Amino acid sequence: MKIRVLKGVRDILPTEITQWNFLHKQAGKVFSRYGYKQIIVPIIEESGLFTRSIGQQTDIVEKEMYTFLDKGNRSIALRPEATASIVRAYLEHNYSHTGLTKFFYSGPMFRGEKPQAGRNRQFYQIGVEAIGSYNPFLDAETLNLAIEYLKEIGIKNFNVLINTVGSSEDKQNFSRKLKAFLLPEKNLLCENCQSRYERNVLRILDCKSKSCKKMLKNAPKIIDCLSQESLKDFAVFQNALELLKVDYILDPYLVRGLDYYTKTVFEITHDKLGAQNTILAGGRYDNLIEQLGGPTTGAIGFACGVERLLLAQKAESFTANIASKQSIFAIGLGAGSYSRIFKIAHTLRKNSISVHLDFENKSIKAQMRQANKLNCSHVLILGDDELKDDNIIIKYMDKGTQELIKISALLEVIKRELTP
Ligand code: ATP
Ligand code: MG
Protein backbone atom coordinates (compact mmCIF):
# COMPACT_ATOMS: atom_id res chain seq x y z
CA MET A 1 0.00 0.00 0.00
CA LYS A 2 1.14 3.51 -0.77
CA ILE A 3 2.13 5.67 2.16
CA ARG A 4 -0.10 8.69 2.43
CA VAL A 5 0.04 11.83 4.51
CA LEU A 6 -1.29 11.45 8.07
CA LYS A 7 -4.88 12.30 8.89
CA GLY A 8 -5.32 15.98 9.70
CA VAL A 9 -1.93 16.85 8.24
CA ARG A 10 -1.36 18.31 4.81
CA ASP A 11 1.21 19.36 2.27
CA ILE A 12 1.42 23.00 1.37
CA LEU A 13 1.99 22.95 -2.36
CA PRO A 14 3.89 25.40 -4.57
CA THR A 15 0.57 26.74 -5.90
CA GLU A 16 -0.26 28.01 -2.40
CA ILE A 17 3.15 29.35 -1.56
CA THR A 18 2.79 32.84 -3.03
CA GLN A 19 -0.18 33.46 -0.75
CA TRP A 20 1.49 31.68 2.13
CA ASN A 21 4.64 33.77 1.92
CA PHE A 22 2.59 36.93 1.49
CA LEU A 23 0.79 36.26 4.80
CA HIS A 24 4.07 35.78 6.59
CA LYS A 25 5.81 38.73 4.98
CA GLN A 26 2.98 41.13 5.79
CA ALA A 27 2.96 39.86 9.38
CA GLY A 28 6.63 40.76 9.79
CA LYS A 29 6.02 44.15 8.22
CA VAL A 30 3.01 45.12 10.33
CA PHE A 31 4.32 43.66 13.58
CA SER A 32 7.66 45.42 13.31
CA ARG A 33 5.81 48.76 13.04
CA TYR A 34 4.72 48.08 16.61
CA GLY A 35 8.21 47.15 17.78
CA TYR A 36 7.91 43.36 17.60
CA LYS A 37 11.03 41.28 16.93
CA GLN A 38 10.96 37.79 15.48
CA ILE A 39 11.79 34.79 17.62
CA ILE A 40 12.06 31.14 16.59
CA VAL A 41 11.45 28.66 19.38
CA PRO A 42 11.76 24.87 19.14
CA ILE A 43 9.00 22.56 17.99
CA ILE A 44 9.72 20.12 20.80
CA GLU A 45 9.75 20.98 24.49
CA GLU A 46 9.57 19.15 27.78
CA SER A 47 5.90 18.13 28.14
CA GLY A 48 5.85 19.73 31.59
CA LEU A 49 6.12 23.17 30.05
CA PHE A 50 2.67 22.81 28.53
CA THR A 51 0.97 20.87 31.30
CA ARG A 52 2.06 23.54 33.78
CA SER A 53 1.04 26.52 31.66
CA ILE A 54 -1.97 25.51 29.59
CA GLY A 55 -3.46 23.61 32.55
CA GLN A 56 -4.07 19.94 33.31
CA GLN A 57 -7.83 20.24 32.87
CA THR A 58 -7.88 21.57 29.34
CA ASP A 59 -8.73 19.87 26.06
CA ILE A 60 -5.19 20.33 24.81
CA VAL A 61 -3.47 18.66 27.75
CA GLU A 62 -6.13 16.04 28.41
CA LYS A 63 -6.75 14.89 24.88
CA GLU A 64 -4.80 16.63 22.19
CA MET A 65 -1.13 16.87 23.01
CA TYR A 66 1.35 14.74 21.06
CA THR A 67 3.84 13.45 23.59
CA PHE A 68 6.48 10.75 23.46
CA LEU A 69 9.27 9.41 25.60
CA ASP A 70 12.72 10.02 24.13
CA LYS A 71 15.64 7.61 24.52
CA GLY A 72 16.47 9.17 27.88
CA ASN A 73 12.93 8.48 29.08
CA ARG A 74 12.06 12.18 29.11
CA SER A 75 8.52 13.15 28.21
CA ILE A 76 8.68 15.39 25.17
CA ALA A 77 5.78 17.21 23.51
CA LEU A 78 5.27 18.56 20.01
CA ARG A 79 4.21 22.08 20.84
CA PRO A 80 0.44 22.62 20.75
CA GLU A 81 0.95 26.41 20.87
CA ALA A 82 3.84 28.83 21.20
CA THR A 83 3.11 31.15 24.12
CA ALA A 84 4.50 28.79 26.75
CA SER A 85 7.71 28.27 24.75
CA ILE A 86 8.15 31.99 24.29
CA VAL A 87 7.73 32.68 27.99
CA ARG A 88 10.25 29.91 28.68
CA ALA A 89 12.70 31.54 26.27
CA TYR A 90 11.98 34.98 27.74
CA LEU A 91 12.97 33.71 31.18
CA GLU A 92 15.84 31.55 30.00
CA HIS A 93 17.49 34.47 28.22
CA ASN A 94 16.83 37.00 30.99
CA TYR A 95 14.60 39.31 29.01
CA SER A 96 12.79 40.10 32.24
CA HIS A 97 15.46 42.74 32.96
CA THR A 98 14.80 44.63 29.76
CA GLY A 99 11.29 46.01 30.31
CA LEU A 100 8.52 45.50 27.76
CA THR A 101 9.61 42.80 25.31
CA LYS A 102 7.73 42.14 22.09
CA PHE A 103 8.16 38.93 20.11
CA PHE A 104 6.45 37.63 17.02
CA TYR A 105 6.61 34.08 15.69
CA SER A 106 5.23 31.70 13.14
CA GLY A 107 5.36 27.98 12.65
CA PRO A 108 3.61 24.65 12.99
CA MET A 109 1.61 23.59 16.04
CA PHE A 110 0.30 20.09 16.80
CA ARG A 111 -2.98 19.01 18.35
CA GLY A 112 -4.54 15.60 18.03
CA GLU A 113 -8.08 16.75 17.45
CA LYS A 114 -10.80 15.64 15.07
CA PRO A 115 -9.81 16.85 11.62
CA GLN A 116 -12.33 18.91 9.65
CA ALA A 117 -12.37 22.00 7.47
CA GLY A 118 -10.20 24.57 9.23
CA ARG A 119 -9.13 22.12 11.91
CA ASN A 120 -5.93 20.17 11.39
CA ARG A 121 -3.57 18.15 13.54
CA GLN A 122 -0.55 20.00 12.24
CA PHE A 123 -1.53 23.59 11.63
CA TYR A 124 0.33 26.86 11.44
CA GLN A 125 0.08 29.91 13.58
CA ILE A 126 1.39 33.43 13.33
CA GLY A 127 1.35 35.28 16.62
CA VAL A 128 2.72 37.96 18.90
CA GLU A 129 3.55 38.16 22.60
CA ALA A 130 4.13 41.43 24.48
CA ILE A 131 5.63 40.67 27.87
CA GLY A 132 6.27 43.22 30.63
CA SER A 133 3.20 45.39 31.19
CA TYR A 134 -0.21 45.32 32.87
CA ASN A 135 -1.41 48.46 31.13
CA PRO A 136 -4.75 47.94 29.31
CA PHE A 137 -3.63 50.44 26.68
CA LEU A 138 -1.28 47.66 25.58
CA ASP A 139 -4.30 45.37 25.21
CA ALA A 140 -5.89 47.90 22.87
CA GLU A 141 -2.68 48.31 20.91
CA THR A 142 -2.38 44.53 20.55
CA LEU A 143 -5.95 44.03 19.35
CA ASN A 144 -5.59 46.95 16.97
CA LEU A 145 -2.43 45.37 15.61
CA ALA A 146 -4.35 42.14 14.95
CA ILE A 147 -7.01 44.06 13.05
CA GLU A 148 -4.47 46.05 11.09
CA TYR A 149 -2.74 42.83 10.10
CA LEU A 150 -5.96 41.24 8.85
CA LYS A 151 -6.76 44.32 6.78
CA GLU A 152 -3.25 44.32 5.38
CA ILE A 153 -3.75 40.79 4.06
CA GLY A 154 -7.07 41.62 2.43
CA ILE A 155 -9.47 40.26 5.06
CA LYS A 156 -12.39 42.56 5.79
CA ASN A 157 -15.53 40.65 6.79
CA PHE A 158 -14.62 39.90 10.36
CA ASN A 159 -16.07 40.53 13.82
CA VAL A 160 -14.04 41.51 16.83
CA LEU A 161 -15.34 39.99 20.06
CA ILE A 162 -13.98 41.06 23.41
CA ASN A 163 -14.52 40.16 27.02
CA THR A 164 -12.68 39.98 30.29
CA VAL A 165 -12.29 36.85 32.37
CA GLY A 166 -10.93 38.82 35.33
CA SER A 167 -8.02 38.05 37.61
CA SER A 168 -7.46 34.49 38.80
CA GLU A 169 -9.49 35.23 41.96
CA ASP A 170 -12.31 36.66 39.84
CA LYS A 171 -12.19 33.54 37.71
CA GLN A 172 -12.45 31.33 40.79
CA ASN A 173 -15.36 33.32 42.19
CA PHE A 174 -17.15 33.20 38.91
CA SER A 175 -16.54 29.47 38.46
CA ARG A 176 -18.22 28.87 41.83
CA LYS A 177 -21.20 31.01 40.81
CA LEU A 178 -21.54 29.30 37.45
CA LYS A 179 -21.37 25.87 39.07
CA ALA A 180 -24.13 26.81 41.50
CA PHE A 181 -26.24 28.14 38.63
CA LEU A 182 -25.83 24.98 36.55
CA LEU A 183 -26.16 22.50 39.41
CA PRO A 184 -29.97 21.98 39.33
CA GLU A 185 -29.90 21.03 35.66
CA LYS A 186 -26.44 19.62 35.49
CA ASN A 187 -27.54 16.34 33.92
CA LEU A 188 -29.04 18.23 30.96
CA LEU A 189 -25.60 19.42 29.91
CA CYS A 190 -23.99 17.64 26.96
CA GLU A 191 -21.67 14.80 27.86
CA ASN A 192 -18.59 16.88 27.24
CA CYS A 193 -19.86 19.68 29.48
CA GLN A 194 -20.82 17.29 32.27
CA SER A 195 -17.17 16.48 32.63
CA ARG A 196 -16.22 20.13 32.08
CA TYR A 197 -18.48 20.95 35.01
CA GLU A 198 -16.06 19.22 37.34
CA ARG A 199 -12.81 19.98 35.56
CA ASN A 200 -13.11 23.40 33.99
CA VAL A 201 -16.54 24.89 34.29
CA LEU A 202 -15.67 28.11 32.41
CA ARG A 203 -15.28 26.11 29.21
CA ILE A 204 -18.99 25.31 29.25
CA LEU A 205 -19.55 28.90 28.11
CA ASP A 206 -17.71 27.96 24.94
CA CYS A 207 -19.89 24.93 24.14
CA LYS A 208 -21.54 24.94 20.74
CA SER A 209 -24.28 22.39 21.59
CA LYS A 210 -27.81 23.79 21.42
CA SER A 211 -28.96 22.38 24.75
CA CYS A 212 -25.97 23.85 26.61
CA LYS A 213 -26.40 27.18 24.86
CA LYS A 214 -30.03 27.25 25.94
CA MET A 215 -29.15 26.54 29.54
CA LEU A 216 -26.61 29.32 29.55
CA LYS A 217 -29.08 31.97 28.43
CA ASN A 218 -29.53 33.39 31.89
CA ALA A 219 -26.22 32.26 33.29
CA PRO A 220 -24.28 34.68 35.49
CA LYS A 221 -21.84 36.87 33.62
CA ILE A 222 -18.17 37.16 34.45
CA ILE A 223 -18.45 40.90 34.31
CA ASP A 224 -20.74 40.83 37.34
CA CYS A 225 -18.13 39.01 39.41
CA LEU A 226 -15.18 41.27 38.77
CA SER A 227 -13.05 43.06 41.34
CA GLN A 228 -12.86 46.85 41.13
CA GLU A 229 -9.41 46.62 39.60
CA SER A 230 -10.48 44.19 36.85
CA LEU A 231 -13.51 46.34 36.07
CA LYS A 232 -11.36 49.44 35.81
CA ASP A 233 -8.85 47.71 33.52
CA PHE A 234 -11.64 46.53 31.26
CA ALA A 235 -13.05 50.04 31.06
CA VAL A 236 -9.64 51.51 30.22
CA PHE A 237 -9.21 48.85 27.53
CA GLN A 238 -12.54 49.72 25.95
CA ASN A 239 -11.85 53.45 26.11
CA ALA A 240 -8.52 52.91 24.40
CA LEU A 241 -10.26 50.87 21.68
CA GLU A 242 -12.60 53.76 21.14
CA LEU A 243 -9.64 56.12 20.80
CA LEU A 244 -8.37 53.86 18.02
CA LYS A 245 -11.86 53.66 16.50
CA VAL A 246 -11.92 49.88 16.76
CA ASP A 247 -15.33 48.35 16.11
CA TYR A 248 -15.95 45.56 18.59
CA ILE A 249 -18.70 43.48 20.11
CA LEU A 250 -18.72 42.85 23.83
CA ASP A 251 -19.49 39.17 24.24
CA PRO A 252 -20.06 38.60 27.97
CA TYR A 253 -19.73 34.84 27.55
CA LEU A 254 -16.49 34.78 25.60
CA VAL A 255 -13.85 32.60 27.28
CA ARG A 256 -10.66 30.99 26.02
CA GLY A 257 -9.66 27.37 26.28
CA LEU A 258 -6.37 27.70 28.12
CA ASP A 259 -5.98 28.20 31.86
CA TYR A 260 -3.42 30.95 31.72
CA TYR A 261 -5.74 33.64 30.41
CA THR A 262 -6.67 36.52 32.72
CA LYS A 263 -8.56 39.77 32.18
CA THR A 264 -8.75 40.81 28.52
CA VAL A 265 -9.66 38.09 26.02
CA PHE A 266 -10.64 38.51 22.39
CA GLU A 267 -11.46 36.57 19.27
CA ILE A 268 -11.83 37.58 15.68
CA THR A 269 -14.29 35.54 13.66
CA HIS A 270 -14.90 35.51 9.94
CA ASP A 271 -18.39 35.61 8.47
CA LYS A 272 -17.87 32.97 5.81
CA LEU A 273 -15.95 30.19 7.49
CA GLY A 274 -18.70 28.01 8.92
CA ALA A 275 -18.08 26.13 12.15
CA GLN A 276 -14.36 26.90 12.53
CA ASN A 277 -14.77 30.61 12.07
CA THR A 278 -12.27 31.93 14.61
CA ILE A 279 -9.33 33.18 12.62
CA LEU A 280 -7.48 34.87 15.48
CA ALA A 281 -7.62 34.68 19.25
CA GLY A 282 -5.73 36.03 22.20
CA GLY A 283 -5.68 37.70 25.54
CA ARG A 284 -3.76 38.53 28.69
CA TYR A 285 -1.85 35.99 30.69
CA ASP A 286 -0.69 37.90 33.76
CA ASN A 287 0.12 34.84 35.87
CA LEU A 288 2.00 32.73 33.38
CA ILE A 289 5.45 34.26 33.73
CA GLU A 290 5.39 33.78 37.49
CA GLN A 291 3.94 30.31 37.10
CA LEU A 292 6.93 29.33 34.98
CA GLY A 293 9.36 30.59 37.61
CA GLY A 294 9.75 34.24 36.62
CA PRO A 295 8.84 37.52 38.29
CA THR A 296 5.20 38.67 38.38
CA THR A 297 4.79 40.27 34.99
CA GLY A 298 1.85 41.30 32.87
CA ALA A 299 1.68 40.00 29.30
CA ILE A 300 -0.66 39.74 26.35
CA GLY A 301 -0.62 38.08 22.94
CA PHE A 302 -2.61 36.59 20.12
CA ALA A 303 -2.28 33.87 17.51
CA CYS A 304 -3.98 33.39 14.20
CA GLY A 305 -4.41 30.17 12.28
CA VAL A 306 -2.71 30.45 8.91
CA GLU A 307 -4.96 27.84 7.24
CA ARG A 308 -8.02 29.78 8.36
CA LEU A 309 -6.53 33.06 7.13
CA LEU A 310 -6.07 31.42 3.73
CA LEU A 311 -9.71 30.25 3.78
CA ALA A 312 -10.86 33.75 4.75
CA GLN A 313 -8.83 35.29 1.95
CA LYS A 314 -10.34 32.81 -0.45
CA ALA A 315 -13.85 33.58 0.79
CA GLU A 316 -13.17 37.24 0.06
CA SER A 317 -11.64 36.39 -3.32
CA PHE A 318 -8.43 38.06 -2.30
CA THR A 319 -5.28 37.10 -4.12
CA ALA A 320 -1.99 38.69 -3.31
CA ASN A 321 -1.13 40.90 -6.21
CA ILE A 322 2.43 39.81 -6.54
CA ALA A 323 3.93 39.90 -10.02
CA SER A 324 5.40 36.50 -10.72
CA LYS A 325 9.05 36.68 -11.50
CA GLN A 326 9.80 36.61 -15.23
CA SER A 327 11.80 33.67 -16.46
CA ILE A 328 13.65 32.45 -19.52
CA PHE A 329 13.56 29.06 -21.21
CA ALA A 330 16.90 28.26 -22.84
CA ILE A 331 17.00 25.69 -25.66
CA GLY A 332 20.17 24.23 -27.10
CA LEU A 333 19.79 22.01 -30.23
CA GLY A 334 22.63 19.60 -30.87
CA ALA A 335 25.51 18.61 -28.60
CA GLY A 336 27.72 21.68 -29.12
CA SER A 337 24.83 24.11 -28.77
CA TYR A 338 23.52 22.32 -25.70
CA SER A 339 26.91 22.65 -23.93
CA ARG A 340 27.00 26.32 -24.85
CA ILE A 341 23.43 27.06 -23.71
CA PHE A 342 24.16 25.14 -20.49
CA LYS A 343 26.97 27.61 -19.83
CA ILE A 344 24.84 30.61 -20.88
CA ALA A 345 22.13 29.52 -18.41
CA HIS A 346 24.75 29.47 -15.69
CA THR A 347 25.88 33.02 -16.53
CA LEU A 348 22.30 34.31 -16.57
CA ARG A 349 21.51 32.70 -13.21
CA LYS A 350 24.62 34.26 -11.73
CA ASN A 351 23.06 37.55 -12.80
CA SER A 352 19.89 36.74 -10.82
CA ILE A 353 17.88 35.76 -13.88
CA SER A 354 15.62 32.73 -13.57
CA VAL A 355 16.33 30.16 -16.30
CA HIS A 356 14.69 26.82 -17.20
CA LEU A 357 16.60 24.18 -19.09
CA ASP A 358 15.65 20.84 -20.63
CA PHE A 359 17.65 17.78 -19.62
CA GLU A 360 15.88 15.15 -21.71
CA ASN A 361 17.00 16.07 -25.20
CA LYS A 362 13.41 16.93 -26.10
CA SER A 363 12.36 18.27 -29.49
CA ILE A 364 12.18 22.03 -29.96
CA LYS A 365 8.40 21.74 -30.16
CA ALA A 366 8.18 19.93 -26.82
CA GLN A 367 10.49 22.49 -25.22
CA MET A 368 8.41 25.39 -26.56
CA ARG A 369 5.34 23.74 -25.08
CA GLN A 370 7.09 23.49 -21.75
CA ALA A 371 8.11 27.18 -21.95
CA ASN A 372 4.49 28.13 -22.52
CA LYS A 373 3.36 26.00 -19.63
CA LEU A 374 5.87 27.68 -17.35
CA ASN A 375 4.72 31.07 -18.57
CA CYS A 376 8.23 32.06 -19.61
CA SER A 377 8.61 35.60 -20.87
CA HIS A 378 11.47 34.79 -23.26
CA VAL A 379 12.85 31.74 -25.00
CA LEU A 380 16.44 31.46 -26.20
CA ILE A 381 17.17 29.13 -29.09
CA LEU A 382 20.69 28.14 -29.99
CA GLY A 383 21.26 25.81 -32.95
CA ASP A 384 24.55 24.86 -34.55
CA ASP A 385 24.04 27.45 -37.35
CA GLU A 386 23.62 30.29 -34.87
CA LEU A 387 26.49 29.02 -32.76
CA LYS A 388 28.82 29.04 -35.75
CA ASP A 389 28.28 32.81 -36.13
CA ASP A 390 28.16 33.52 -32.39
CA ASN A 391 24.47 34.38 -32.66
CA ILE A 392 21.43 33.33 -30.65
CA ILE A 393 17.68 33.65 -31.25
CA ILE A 394 15.64 35.41 -28.61
CA LYS A 395 11.85 34.96 -28.73
CA TYR A 396 9.66 37.56 -27.08
CA MET A 397 6.72 35.48 -25.92
CA ASP A 398 4.38 38.43 -25.21
CA LYS A 399 4.84 40.02 -28.57
CA GLY A 400 5.20 36.76 -30.49
CA THR A 401 8.31 38.09 -32.26
CA GLN A 402 11.90 36.94 -32.39
CA GLU A 403 15.31 38.41 -33.13
CA LEU A 404 18.78 37.18 -33.92
CA ILE A 405 21.37 38.76 -31.66
CA LYS A 406 25.04 38.31 -30.81
CA ILE A 407 25.69 35.95 -27.89
CA SER A 408 27.99 38.61 -26.46
CA ALA A 409 25.04 41.05 -26.31
CA LEU A 410 22.60 38.56 -24.76
CA LEU A 411 23.09 39.40 -21.10
CA GLU A 412 22.55 43.12 -21.68
CA VAL A 413 19.46 42.52 -23.83
CA ILE A 414 17.87 40.24 -21.24
CA LYS A 415 18.72 42.55 -18.36
CA ARG A 416 17.07 45.41 -20.24
CA GLU A 417 14.05 43.27 -21.03
CA LEU A 418 13.54 42.13 -17.45
CA THR A 419 13.94 45.51 -15.79
CA PRO A 420 10.43 46.39 -14.62
P1 ATP B 1 -10.73 26.66 18.39
O1 ATP B 1 -11.83 27.08 19.29
O2 ATP B 1 -10.95 27.03 16.95
O3 ATP B 1 -10.28 25.25 18.58
P2 ATP B 1 -8.60 27.46 20.12
O4 ATP B 1 -9.26 28.20 21.20
O5 ATP B 1 -8.18 26.06 20.33
O6 ATP B 1 -9.49 27.55 18.79
P3 ATP B 1 -6.12 28.90 20.10
O7 ATP B 1 -5.39 27.87 20.82
O8 ATP B 1 -6.40 30.19 20.75
O9 ATP B 1 -7.45 28.30 19.49
O10 ATP B 1 -5.40 29.19 18.69
C1 ATP B 1 -5.51 30.41 17.99
C2 ATP B 1 -5.96 30.20 16.56
O11 ATP B 1 -5.27 29.12 15.95
C3 ATP B 1 -7.41 29.81 16.41
O12 ATP B 1 -8.22 30.93 16.46
C4 ATP B 1 -7.42 29.17 15.05
O13 ATP B 1 -7.44 30.15 14.03
C5 ATP B 1 -6.10 28.46 15.01
N1 ATP B 1 -6.26 27.04 15.36
C6 ATP B 1 -6.39 26.49 16.57
N2 ATP B 1 -6.49 25.15 16.49
C7 ATP B 1 -6.43 24.85 15.16
C8 ATP B 1 -6.46 23.63 14.41
N3 ATP B 1 -6.57 22.46 15.00
N4 ATP B 1 -6.37 23.71 13.06
C9 ATP B 1 -6.25 24.89 12.43
N5 ATP B 1 -6.20 26.07 13.09
C10 ATP B 1 -6.29 26.06 14.43
MG1 MG C 1 -9.17 24.21 20.04
Side-chain angles (χ1 to χ4, degrees):
M1 215 174 66
K2 270 196 194 143
I3 296 181
R4 301 184 62 110
V5 74
L6 291 170
K7 214 172 142 195
V9 173
R10 65 183 203 107
D11 302 307
I12 296 126
L13 301 173
T15 46
E16 297 170 87
I17 290 294
T18 309
Q19 207 86 347
W20 184 276
N21 287 342
F22 173 75
L23 284 183
H24 286 84
K25 205 172 120 207
Q26 295 309 97
K29 233 166 80 182
V30 183
F31 299 166
S32 56
R33 258 187 246 152
Y34 286 74
Y36 284 85
K37 298 258 172 29
Q38 189 174 6
I39 184 168
I40 300 176
V41 287
I43 285 170
I44 50 174
E45 298 271 4
E46 233 177 75
S47 307
L49 174 65
F50 302 111
T51 48
R52 267 171 60 190
S53 54
I54 293 170
Q56 293 280 359
Q57 265 84 51
T58 55
D59 287 350
I60 292 183
V61 169
E62 282 192 332
K63 299 188 280 209
E64 298 172 357
M65 202 150 69
Y66 283 99
T67 53
F68 61 94
L69 289 180
D70 71 0
K71 297 248 160 63
N73 236 11
R74 285 169 289 256
S75 177
I76 309 291
L78 298 185
R79 63 178 185 199
E81 58 112 49
T83 307
S85 300
I86 288 172
V87 171
R88 180 205 42 72
Y90 168 90
L91 295 174
E92 199 159 332
H93 303 284
N94 294 316
Y95 278 98
S96 47
H97 303 299
T98 57
L100 181 63
T101 310
K102 289 171 155 181
F103 296 115
F104 76 90
Y105 64 89
S106 63
M109 308 296 157
F110 304 84
R111 297 182 196 174
E113 42 193 349
K114 195 163 158 249
Q116 49 195 289
R119 192 180 287 297
N120 311 308
R121 290 185 174 165
Q122 174 172 338
F123 61 98
Y124 289 76
Q125 283 186 338
I126 295 175
V128 307
E129 313 292 350
I131 309 175
S133 174
Y134 292 99
N135 192 335
F137 274 90
L138 177 63
D139 306 26
E141 184 193 89
T142 310
L143 181 52
N144 187 56
L145 165 62
I147 293 168
E148 215 170 284
Y149 171 56
L150 294 178
K151 287 185 179 158
E152 197 91 20
I153 57 171
I155 298 176
K156 292 186 214 88
N157 299 324
F158 56 77
N159 297 307
V160 178
L161 310 175
I162 66 160
N163 193 20
T164 174
V165 293
S167 64
S168 48
E169 294 93 74
D170 297 338
K171 262 163 96 174
Q172 274 166 23
N173 288 337
F174 175 68
S175 295
R176 267 196 300 275
K177 252 198 170 153
L178 187 59
K179 270 186 148 174
F181 170 82
L182 293 170
L183 185 64
E185 290 180 298
K186 193 180 143 206
N187 50 3
L188 297 180
L189 288 167
C190 76
E191 205 180 313
N192 210 346
C193 285
Q194 299 219 4
S195 87
R196 281 175 175 157
Y197 182 90
E198 302 302 338
R199 299 176 290 116
N200 196 350
V201 70
L202 282 186
R203 282 290 278 170
I204 296 180
L205 295 178
D206 212 16
C207 185
K208 305 282 182 288
S209 108
K210 267 198 186 130
S211 55
C212 294
K213 274 202 151 125
K214 203 169 142 210
M215 279 183 65
L216 288 166
K217 254 198 175 139
N218 298 312
K221 297 190 174 98
I222 305 177
I223 202 150
D224 298 323
C225 301
L226 294 182
S227 64
Q228 283 308 311
E229 188 208 284
S230 297
L231 269 176
K232 189 175 134 260
D233 280 356
F234 195 45
V236 174
F237 169 51
Q238 292 183 78
N239 282 334
L241 288 179
E242 268 137 42
L243 290 178
L244 299 175
K245 303 217 172 340
V246 169
D247 276 328
Y248 63 85
I249 301 163
L250 204 171
D251 176 354
Y253 294 118
L254 177 71
V255 288
R256 315 270 17 270
L258 319 184
D259 275 4
Y260 56 60
Y261 282 108
T262 52
K263 296 193 175 170
T264 303
V265 291
F266 53 84
E267 271 189 21
I268 299 184
T269 59
H270 192 270
D271 296 341
K272 302 218 176 78
L273 291 199
Q276 312 314 324
N277 66 350
T278 307
I279 51 178
L280 185 150
R284 267 203 171 269
Y285 47 91
D286 290 342
N287 300 324
L288 183 57
I289 291 93
E290 193 177 6
Q291 220 170 299
L292 292 177
T296 37
T297 310
I300 182 164
F302 67 76
C304 43
V306 177
E307 288 81 357
R308 294 187 197 177
L309 294 180
L310 290 169
L311 290 172
Q313 282 186 323
K314 211 166 150 200
E316 298 202 24
S317 307
F318 176 85
T319 39
N321 191 13
I322 304 159
S324 59
K325 214 176 153 221
Q326 289 188 303
S327 68
I328 312 282
F329 201 102
I331 304 175
L333 303 163
S337 298
Y338 187 81
S339 299
R340 187 63 194 275
I341 205 85
F342 185 73
K343 217 175 127 192
I344 290 172
H346 176 65
T347 309
L348 294 177
R349 287 171 179 154
K350 274 210 298 200
N351 283 274
S352 309
I353 296 157
S354 152
V355 186
H356 301 279
L357 210 54
D358 166 67
F359 290 92
E360 310 307 321
N361 211 1
K362 283 200 191 120
S363 71
I364 181 163
K365 222 169 128 193
Q367 293 197 50
M368 283 304 296
R369 245 196 328 264
Q370 182 71 4
N372 272 317
K373 216 161 118 187
L374 293 166
N375 224 352
C376 293
S377 54
H378 300 78
V379 175
L380 304 176
I381 302 173
L382 187 64
D384 290 345
D385 282 353
E386 288 82 17
L387 183 62
K388 204 166 66 223
D389 301 327
D390 278 322
N391 288 332
I392 188 163
I393 298 169
I394 176 165
K395 273 180 160 296
Y396 302 93
M397 301 299 274
D398 288 352
K399 293 183 270 183
T401 58
Q402 66 177 55
E403 201 180 3
L404 190 70
I405 60 169
K406 284 281 159 219
I407 292 179
S408 55
L410 178 66
L411 182 61
E412 284 320 305
V413 170
I414 289 192
K415 273 191 178 164
R416 200 170 54 230
E417 278 288 309
L418 298 189
T419 314

